[in-house]
Amino acid sequence: LALYFHIAEREEKCIIEDLPSDTLVVGNYKIQLWDIQKHEFLESAPGLGMFVMVSAPSGEVLLSKLYGPESTFFFTSYLSGEHIICFQSNSTRFVAIAGSKLRLHLDIRVGEHFLDESAVQAKDKVNEVSIRLEHLIEQMHHVSKEQDYEREREEKFRKTSEETNSNILWWAIVQTLILISVGIWQTKSLRDFFIAKKLV
């Protein structure tokens, strides 16, 4: 996931990542500050930092840390579900002149274990193959976890659909019984009325 969005100083912006359990998440970001004179975003925002907070689906805080204007953060999901990742600049300027526009470039990688190419090149060919094989095995474990999580979500969705269909069926049966009961009652009422008026 690579994106950028605008955020005012001291404003908090959050994104939601739906993650399987036991998954490594690596985030890279960079802040750019809006230059009023040049009417463009500066390449960097020296002096500004970014407060990053990550919450698990249970509400537990997995990460809460202040970083610089450009940094990398890591966390591991312990539960499957929606994780909330929030960003807020640490501007200390007066409120009267705070509120300048910032651009936050964000790149989030899920389940990636980065291969250190320099370390690989420094080793002999047998070790290189071994390291690359370990990397592939880690990627396969991640894909397997993703598939298990998708199966779990599909199972929940199927159960919800079956429960909804069952409720609709019972509601249709109840409606039919009510209509039949009302019809019988109306027929009996009309018959009693005609008998009372000696029309039949």
Side-chain angles (χ1 to χ4, degrees):
L1 173 67
L3 55 91
Y4 76 83
F5 52 86
H6 293 151
I7 180 172
E9 290 186 54
R10 306 299 294 171
E11 179 188 4
E12 185 180 59
K13 281 274 179 88
C14 299
I15 62 169
I16 296 173
E17 276 289 319
D18 201 355
L19 303 169
S21 59
D22 298 320
T23 301
L24 174 67
V25 178
V26 180
N28 294 294
Y29 74 85
K30 181 175 83 168
I31 311 169
Q32 290 180 295
L33 181 63
W34 177 254
D35 190 313
I36 298 171
Q37 281 79 29
K38 295 181 180 177
H39 288 86
E40 63 181 20
F41 284 99
L42 300 174
E43 188 56 35
S44 63
L48 276 177
M50 190 59 66
F51 184 74
V52 181
M53 188 172 80
V54 180
S55 301
S58 62
E60 178 189 356
V61 176
L62 301 179
L63 175 69
S64 179
K65 190 174 177 183
L66 180 64
Y67 294 91
E70 185 174 354
S71 191
T72 301
F73 61 90
F74 305 84
F75 70 91
T76 301
S77 62
Y78 295 104
L79 295 172
S80 58
E82 293 183 343
H83 289 68
I84 301 172
I85 307 170
C86 294
F87 301 90
Q88 185 179 28
S89 72
N90 70 331
S91 173
T92 55
R93 296 192 291 174
F94 295 108
V95 176
I97 62 170
S100 296
K101 192 162 55 172
L102 301 172
R103 178 180 283 174
L104 179 65
H105 294 266
L106 180 62
D107 181 19
I108 292 181
R109 297 180 183 182
V110 177
E112 281 205 23
H113 297 271
F114 300 107
L115 193 61
D116 187 351
E117 293 292 339
S118 61
V120 170
Q121 290 170 2
K123 308 234 180 222
D124 59 27
K125 288 293 178 186
V126 175
N127 283 342
E128 180 182 344
V129 171
S130 173
I131 290 169
R132 289 189 184 276
L133 187 60
E134 285 175 15
H135 182 69
L136 281 173
I137 290 169
E138 285 178 354
Q139 293 289 12
M140 286 172 55
H141 284 312
H142 172 65
V143 169
S144 175
K145 278 191 284 188
E146 283 277 358
Q147 288 177 335
D148 289 343
Y149 180 52
E150 289 303 323
R151 273 194 290 271
E152 181 186 321
R153 288 181 64 189
E154 187 181 338
E155 180 70 19
K156 284 181 185 175
F157 180 74
R158 189 178 59 77
K159 283 182 182 176
T160 304
S161 298
E162 287 175 357
E163 287 172 7
T164 304
N165 289 338
S166 176
N167 291 338
I168 289 170
L169 175 64
W170 281 110
W171 176 239
I173 291 169
V174 168
Q175 278 185 317
T176 304
L177 291 174
I178 290 171
L179 284 172
I180 291 170
S181 301
V182 169
I184 292 171
W185 176 77
Q186 284 182 331
T187 304
K188 185 178 180 305
S189 297
L190 280 171
R191 186 171 166 275
D192 291 345
F193 173 75
F194 289 140
I195 291 171
K197 295 294 183 180
K198 297 182 181 178
L199 295 173
V200 290

